[in-house]
Structures are given as C-alpha cells and as structure tokens.
Amino acid sequence: MNDQYLTVTALTKYIKRKLSSDQHLKNVWLRGEISNFKHHSRGHMYLSLKDEQARIQAVMFAGNNRNLKFTPENGMNVLVRGEINVYEPMGQYQLYIQDMQPDGIGALYLAFEQLKEKLGKEGLFSVERKKAIPTYPNHIAVITSPTGAAVRDVLTTIKRRYPIVPVSILPVLVQGDRAPFSIVRAIEYANEKLDADVLIVGRGGGSIEDLWAFNEEVVARAIANSRIPVISAVGHETDTTISDFVADIRAATPTGAAELAVPSIIELQEQIQSLKHRIRRAMETKQTSERQRLFRLEKSYAFKYPEQLMKQKEQDLDRLLERLSKQMVIHHEQRREKVSNLQNRLFVQGPGAQIKEGRHRLQSNTKQLHARFEDVRNAKRDQFRVNLEKLSLLNPLEIMKRGYAIPFSEKGEVIKKVSQVKKGSNLSLKMHGGSVDCNVLDVEEDKHDRE
Amino acid sequence: MTESKEELSFEQAMDQLEDLVEKLETGEVPLEKAIQYYQEGMKLSKVCNEKLGNVEKQMQQIMNEHGEFEPFSIQEEDS
C-alpha cells in the first residue's frame, strides 16, 4: 500500500530526466516579453518571459549575460536561445538563456544567427584564413554603390591620405533582391580581371533590412573565396554583418576602410625624412669616430718612435729564427729515428727466414729425388739381368752346350723322329761349336714307340 | 643595385632604405662601405619621395554599363 507513494525528489528527478532526454528542449529559440526582471548582485539575471497566454521562468547566468549589447528591462520584447531544464529545489522547469537579442527584427535575426553559426563551424571566420593587406597597395578596387555617401567617403579619404594609388570603382546594387548577385559578380570580376591588390566591399549605414545583402551566404562565400584581400565596411560602427566576419579586415565605416587600405603619404614623407636624417647623422658619427681613431693612431708610440719598434722587431725576428733552426734539427732527428725504426721493423717482418727455409727444403727434396731415382734404376737393372738369364736358358744354342745336337736331313729339315731316317742316308748334326755330316749305318726303332 | 632603382617598388625602396640606415647606425661598417651606403640611402630616399610625389591627374575610375572604365570624380553635393 505504502509503495504506491513516491517521494517528491524521485518524481522531480523523473521529470528532470524526461525533459533532459528531449533534444528539442536542448536548443530552444524563443520570442517573448520580459517581466519580473531581476539582476542579482552576483551577476546572474532572473526573469520571466511571457506572451498573451503563457509565461516561463528563465535565468541567464553571468557568464552568458556578460556580453549582452543591451540592458534587458521589463516589458521589452526579446529573442532568446537556451535550454529547458528543471530546477529541483523549486520544482520548476525553466529556461536557461545562453543568448538574448532585442526583438523587432524577428526572422532576419534568426537567419543571421543561424548563418553565422553555420559558417563559423566551417571555419570561414578563423584567423588563419585572414590574408594580410599590403602595406603600400598598388591598385584598390571599391565595390559599392556609385552614388552613396560610402563611395565618396572612401575616395576622399584615399585621395587625402595616399593620392598615388589608382582606384577602380565596381558599381553594384547594395540593397534589394538583386544586390547579393550584383556584389558577388563584382567580387569575382575583380579577382579575374583586375590587378587590384585590395578590395573594399561595403556601403553606408541603414536599417538591418538595408544592410541585409551583406548577410547573405553567397556574398559571404564570395568574400571568403576572394584571392585579393578584402576590407569590409558595412554601415556604421554598431552594425556587424556576416561579411564583416568573413572579410580579412573589418572596418567600422567606409572612411575607416580607406584608412586601413592605404598609408598616409604625409606620414611616409615624414618617415623618409627621418630616415634621411638618421642616415646623415650615422654617416657623420662614422666620420667623426674614424677621424678620432686616425688622430689617436698618429699620436701613438709606434708612430712617434718607429725605430724603437724596428729594433724590437729585429730582436723578435732573431729569436724566432733561432727557434726555427732548433726546431728544424729536432724535427730532422725525429724523422731519421723514425725511419730507422721502421727499417728494423721491416727487416724483422721480411721474407729472409722463409727463403732460407725454402732453400733447405729444396735441397732435401733434391737429395731425396736422386736417392729415389737411384733405387728405381738399380731395381730395373737387376730385373733386366734376371730377364737376360731367363732368356739365355731358353736359347737352343745354350742347350747344345749341355751336349744336345739337332739332326737335319739332306734337305735341311729337322728330324724329330727315328722313322724319318733311312739306313744309308746322310744327315747333318748341328751341335755346339759347328756341325757334323754323318752316314746312317743302321736304324733301330724303340719297340714301344712304334705306333 | 643602382641600375635597377627605377624598377624598385615603393615598398622595396623603403625596406632597402631602412636596412641601410640600420646598418649604418650600428657603426660597424667599414668607411668605404659606409660612404657607399650613405650615397645609396640618399638615392633611395629620393626615389621614395619621387614615387610619393608621382600623382597622376586621373587616379579614380569607374566601370560603366558596358564594362569599360571611365574617369570618375565625386560629385560634391552642397550640404
């Protein structure tokens, strides 16, 4: 039963969470009338915003209201931007105002703020993008209405300050529907066709509607894209347009733009005069100081007593020569010592020992070679003798020495069998020492040899 | 350097003049150089003055409807 009841804190927290989660309530653009305005001593502003049927509690903290260009009052119609949130101790939802402008310009103001925010996010206003205006411009192009006060202010100021610079006016419409296009085209023309090195773009004062062309996105982008540095001069001191943010320099007025664009010729002439004066004085100072130096030198000891100086120098020279010759001897000796040292080292490191050892080895090898050769020769000779003996054993003549004879027939054929011999025939016996002719007396065959 | 004086822009001439003055003011320049700087500085100051005095008759022009430039002068309204 008890559980059905919430605490006030819990409910308030729940509501706060509901409101915080709504993206639309994070960035609210609101129009209304101020009432119950109270500027607290600590700097915060408390107020209500109302219309015919409703009201809302609002607070603008000191950090946000510090830069307000006007003082809010009861009954004043304002345009604000802020966030809805809940102030828990009072159970109150309220608007936390970040920015406030007096109303009366309505939709234009919103458009201005929204374009400013968009281009700002793109970085079109960043300091790094700003181009430097030349110190001594050679050609200035002025983009404005040819009939307004602005063109006159610019031209007279330039003529007064720096009459030597050519000025080209590109006449444009500065208000009305066709103004933005006209201004854009002139900026592009100047960049493409003119050798201008400074552009002044602007117009004289007027209502916010009159100045509106300079809050148009196309104009702002044309200025941002300009290769030539742009000085913007729109309206009076208090008027600030998007063009002013995008331009390389913003001038408060057309006269101010001309002053920013050109140096003052009178100041320049004074500057040259002063430079001339300084260079002359520097030259005089130089001459004086050189003259004094010369004077001092002429009076110096050396100039007055030159022979003293010579004597001393003579002595110096002798001393130096002596040192020189001593030094030469020492130097020479050191060299010689070094050479002999090197020779010794070279000798130790030289190839003599290797040559000796090589020769030794050559001799012993030669001896060895001879010895081996002798061995081989003896072996061969012995073998030859053996072979010769073997050969002589096989020689039939040698066999005859042992008492054998070979019988030849009368026809000269060797007789190998008894059967070849006939009784009464003649044979010749070859034997050691010659041959014997014989007559066969009888032939007797061995019986078992018969067949 | 002396030859090309005519082609110097005003800015270059001023820069050179300032440079010469500063160099000479240090007092560390040899005398011959100092004389040379001095003479050059005087010439440059003359060039600068001439350039500033070089006012032509018609310096202001306006583009007409045909895209041509024509002389422009401010109509001084009586006020």
Side-chain angles (χ1 to χ4, degrees), chain A residues 135-136 146 152 155-156 163-169 171 265 268-269 271-272 275-276 278-279 283 286, chain B residues 10-11 17-18 21 24-25 27 29 34-35 38 41-42 45 48 51-52 59-63 72 74 77:
Chain A
T135 321
Y136 310 107
R152 197 187 58 224
L155 290 180
T156 49
I164 63 171
V165 66
V167 181
S168 300
I169 300 153
I265 199 162
L268 283 175
Q269 279 161 342
Q271 200 181 334
I272 295 165
L275 285 171
K276 233 165 113 176
R278 276 166 63 191
I279 203 170
M283 191 64 217
K286 181 81 188 170
Chain B
F10 179 75
E11 186 162 19
L17 178 57
E18 271 172 358
V21 173
L24 205 52
E25 278 177 345
V29 188
I35 294 169
Y38 175 72
M42 284 299 158
S45 74
C48 289
K51 279 186 188 280
L52 291 185
M59 299 298 283
Q60 301 182 337
Q61 56 177 6
I62 186 165
M63 194 165 80
F72 181 80
I74 307 150
E77 318 138 55

Side-chain angles (χ1 to χ4, degrees), chain A residues 314-354:
Chain A
E314 283 283 330
Q315 204 178 330
D316 286 353
L317 179 62
D318 283 347
R319 234 182 50 238
L320 281 173
L321 284 174
E322 208 168 295
R323 270 175 63 195
L324 179 66
S325 65
K326 229 181 247 168
Q327 227 21 67
M328 287 283 280
V329 171
I330 290 169
H331 186 74
H332 226 79
E333 235 140 59
Q334 280 172 346
R335 288 277 142 156
R336 186 171 298 147
E337 208 171 300
K338 202 167 178 190
V339 168
S340 79
N341 190 2
L342 282 173
Q343 273 175 340
N344 281 344
R345 279 168 59 196
L346 181 66
F347 190 73
V348 170
Q349 297 293 322
Q354 277 128 292

Side-chain angles (χ1 to χ4, degrees), chain A residues 299-448:
Chain A
K299 282 209 314 192
S300 71
Y301 178 82
F303 251 106
K304 277 192 168 165
Y305 310 103
E307 70 282 0
Q308 277 294 324
L309 201 67
M310 285 292 284
K311 273 180 193 159
Q312 200 187 324
K313 291 287 161 197
E314 283 283 330
Q315 204 178 330
D316 286 353
L317 179 62
D318 283 347
R319 234 182 50 238
L320 281 173
L321 284 174
E322 208 168 295
R323 270 175 63 195
L324 179 66
S325 65
K326 229 181 247 168
Q327 227 21 67
M328 287 283 280
V329 171
I330 290 169
H331 186 74
H332 226 79
E333 235 140 59
Q334 280 172 346
R335 288 277 142 156
R336 186 171 298 147
E337 208 171 300
K338 202 167 178 190
V339 168
S340 79
N341 190 2
L342 282 173
Q343 273 175 340
N344 281 344
R345 279 168 59 196
L346 181 66
F347 190 73
V348 170
Q349 297 293 322
Q354 277 128 292
I355 291 174
K356 209 163 156 189
E357 198 207 311
R359 191 170 289 148
H360 223 82
R361 269 175 59 201
L362 176 64
Q363 275 174 358
S364 101
N365 281 344
T366 314
K367 217 181 267 174
Q368 283 256 329
L369 181 67
H370 281 305
R372 287 277 156 274
F373 180 68
E374 218 35 56
D375 286 352
V376 171
R377 205 164 67 155
N378 287 343
K380 290 287 168 194
R381 194 161 42 214
D382 288 350
Q383 200 183 350
F384 176 66
R385 202 173 290 139
V386 169
N387 283 346
L388 205 63
E389 267 164 29
K390 274 185 187 165
L391 193 63
S392 76
L393 283 180
L394 290 172
N395 188 341
L397 297 177
E398 282 297 310
I399 299 172
M400 285 178 198
K401 275 185 186 167
R402 284 150 55 189
Y404 294 93
I406 304 166
F408 289 90
S409 68
E410 276 167 305
K411 289 172 189 167
E413 292 164 342
V414 175
I415 298 166
K416 292 177 184 167
K417 295 178 190 164
V418 171
S419 59
Q420 286 175 279
V421 183
K422 303 237 168 47
K423 194 176 164 183
S425 63
N426 294 319
L427 356 142
S428 168
L429 288 177
K430 279 260 191 237
M431 62 185 68
H432 185 69
S435 61
V436 178
D437 289 333
C438 314
N439 188 263
V440 179
L441 296 179
D442 195 13
V443 178
E444 194 176 323
E445 280 182 72
D446 290 338
K447 276 183 185 122
H448 49 85

Side-chain angles (χ1 to χ4, degrees), chain A residues 133-148:
Chain A
I133 308 292
T135 321
Y136 310 107
N138 292 311
H139 183 183
I140 297 171
V142 182
I143 295 175
T144 190
S145 158
T147 53

Side-chain angles (χ1 to χ4, degrees), chain A residues 21-270:
Chain A
S21 62
D22 188 324
Q23 290 305 314
H24 295 296
L25 297 179
K26 283 255 165 63
N27 196 21
V28 175
W29 301 70
L30 190 67
R31 158 184 284 148
E33 186 193 319
I34 298 176
S35 66
N36 295 328
F37 179 76
K38 197 171 142 204
H39 198 168
H40 197 274
S41 57
R42 287 179 55 237
H44 308 323
M45 289 174 176
Y46 299 91
L47 56 131
S48 308
L49 288 173
K50 61 172 189 178
D51 56 20
E52 288 77 18
Q53 279 98 35
R55 68 171 56 219
I56 183 173
Q57 204 55 42
V59 55
M60 189 173 198
F61 291 122
N64 291 318
N65 69 39
R66 197 172 293 136
N67 295 323
L68 279 183
K69 294 191 186 73
F70 69 105
T71 315
E73 288 166 26
N74 285 330
M76 188 182 262
N77 285 309
V78 287
L79 295 168
V80 300
R81 186 169 60 81
E83 177 189 1
I84 300 290
N85 216 322
V86 172
Y87 180 56
E88 289 164 81
M90 295 296 291
Q92 229 172 32
Y93 75 93
Q94 51 183 14
L95 178 65
Y96 291 83
I97 300 175
Q98 282 144 12
D99 201 4
M100 177 154 54
Q101 292 288 332
D103 193 4
I105 38 180
L108 285 185
Y109 171 71
L110 282 177
F112 175 87
E113 281 299 319
Q114 284 160 354
L115 180 60
K116 185 176 149 195
E117 196 180 331
K118 176 179 165 188
L119 297 184
K121 269 187 193 149
E122 281 183 35
L124 253 54
F125 309 153
S126 71
V127 183
E128 302 91 72
R129 282 185 57 98
K130 306 288 182 201
K131 294 181 281 295
I133 308 292
T135 321
Y136 310 107
N138 292 311
H139 183 183
I140 297 171
V142 182
I143 295 175
T144 190
S145 158
T147 53
V151 72
R152 197 187 58 224
D153 290 348
V154 168
L155 290 180
T156 49
T157 307
I158 290 178
K159 204 166 185 180
R160 172 171 54 79
R161 282 173 63 87
Y162 201 63
I164 63 171
V165 66
V167 181
S168 300
I169 300 153
L170 298 174
V172 293
L173 297 167
V174 290
Q175 63 194 67
D177 291 346
R178 282 155 59 216
F181 175 65
S182 168
I183 297 165
V184 168
R185 210 176 43 182
I187 293 171
E188 287 170 357
Y189 179 88
N191 273 281
E192 284 161 19
K193 299 278 166 58
L194 295 185
D195 62 348
D197 46 13
V198 180
L199 278 186
I200 296 176
V201 180
R203 56 155 290 151
S207 70
I208 181 131
E209 287 85 358
D210 290 341
L211 306 184
W212 197 255
F214 295 92
N215 284 325
E216 290 285 352
E217 187 170 353
V218 280
V219 174
R221 291 200 185 277
I223 291 173
N225 290 335
S226 175
R227 172 182 52 80
I228 307 169
V230 174
I231 303 176
S232 75
V234 184
H236 295 305
E237 324 261 341
T238 50
D239 303 320
T240 308
T241 61
I242 301 287
S243 294
D244 292 323
F245 291 117
V246 181
D248 297 297
I249 300 189
R250 183 219 164 190
T253 60
T255 305
E259 280 167 351
L260 288 172
V262 295
S264 156
I265 199 162
I266 295 163
E267 279 167 27
L268 283 175
Q269 279 161 342
E270 280 166 5

Side-chain angles (χ1 to χ4, degrees), chain B residues 48-65:
Chain B
C48 289
N49 266 321
E50 279 168 8
K51 279 186 188 280
L52 291 185
N54 187 17
V55 190
E56 281 166 25
K57 284 192 190 86
Q58 188 54 59
M59 299 298 283
Q60 301 182 337
Q61 56 177 6
I62 186 165
M63 194 165 80
N64 64 23
E65 315 84 75

